[in-house]
Amino acid sequence: MRTIHPYPRRELRRMQRAWLRRNRWLVVFAVVFFGMVAALMTVTLALTGLPVRWYLIGVAHAGIVALVLHVLNSAFLAHEGAAVFQLRGAWGEENTRSELQRAKRRRIIWGSVDSITLQAGDLDHVVVTRAGGVVVLDSKWRTAVTPEIVAEMTASARRTASRAQGLARTLLRSERGVRHRAPTPPVTVVAAVVLWGGARATVPDGHQVDGVHFIDGRKLVPWLRTLDGHVVSKEAANDLLARLREYRATTQQAGQS
């Protein structure tokens, strides 16, 4: 199955490709310069007569390739200010995805669907729990939080929950005269912001603002375990997860066409 990368990761790669095209001269210079260094090291090591010289040559070549990639990536991050924010966003969503995989292995949730693109925005993670209904998570990477940032994240999470609720209504709406075979979970959605970075340690347990939960990313799995809302059956969960994946695939194809 093809991996679905979070939106910040996709945007970061788009920015990288655009930056490399604009700075071809830097790429050419780096490849030529470090290529000459690699050739010089190869000749020097080959003439030493050491028994492990070919191993050392291989290690040197691998190190030089890694160094070239590091130099180009560092130059990209230094010149593109917005790239750092996209990178942090990708880290946040990927960390949350890893925690959700843990929650699924521990049988706390049935599953989740990430990176769903909507016309009015996107949904980072839609989670179908076993005993807590449907939860929509907004991942954030922050080094610090202020009252203004909390208000902004709260408003964003409430909009995200509203979008997820509308999407759930659309996906679970019965066709005319036809009833779904599986009972469906409620369309009421719990909204939460999952914080990563330095700010996560400042989040007190059980913190809420206007109905939006704020969660330390490392405590996401225990928080999901505490949910005791609507119990979701396996059939209903599989039905909703399949519909969400199908919707995501449709919107992505439409965006690429």
Side-chain angles (χ1 to χ4, degrees), residues 219-234:
K219 298 179 180 179
L220 175 58
V221 174
W223 179 80
L224 289 169
R225 185 181 284 113
T226 64
L227 297 178
D228 58 355
H230 180 83
V231 176
V232 183
S233 69
K234 182 177 181 180

Side-chain angles (χ1 to χ4, degrees), residues 45-123:
L45 290 171
L47 294 177
T48 60
L50 293 172
V52 295
R53 61 185 181 278
W54 300 115
Y55 170 79
L56 294 175
I57 290 173
V59 171
H61 287 177
I64 289 174
V65 170
L67 181 60
V68 171
L69 295 176
H70 175 70
V71 168
L72 292 176
N73 188 61
S74 297
F76 162 67
L77 293 175
H79 287 85
E80 296 289 335
V84 174
F85 297 103
Q86 297 295 345
L87 182 59
R88 289 179 175 179
W91 287 344
E93 292 194 33
E94 289 163 356
N95 285 352
T96 299
R97 179 182 293 182
S98 296
E99 293 301 305
L100 290 174
Q101 290 171 350
R102 287 181 55 216
K104 184 176 181 180
R105 288 195 298 268
R106 297 184 181 186
R107 303 176 64 83
I108 300 171
I109 66 174
W110 290 111
S112 62
V113 180
D114 310 310
S115 304
I116 301 176
T117 302
L118 304 175
Q119 289 184 347
D122 67 293
L123 306 176

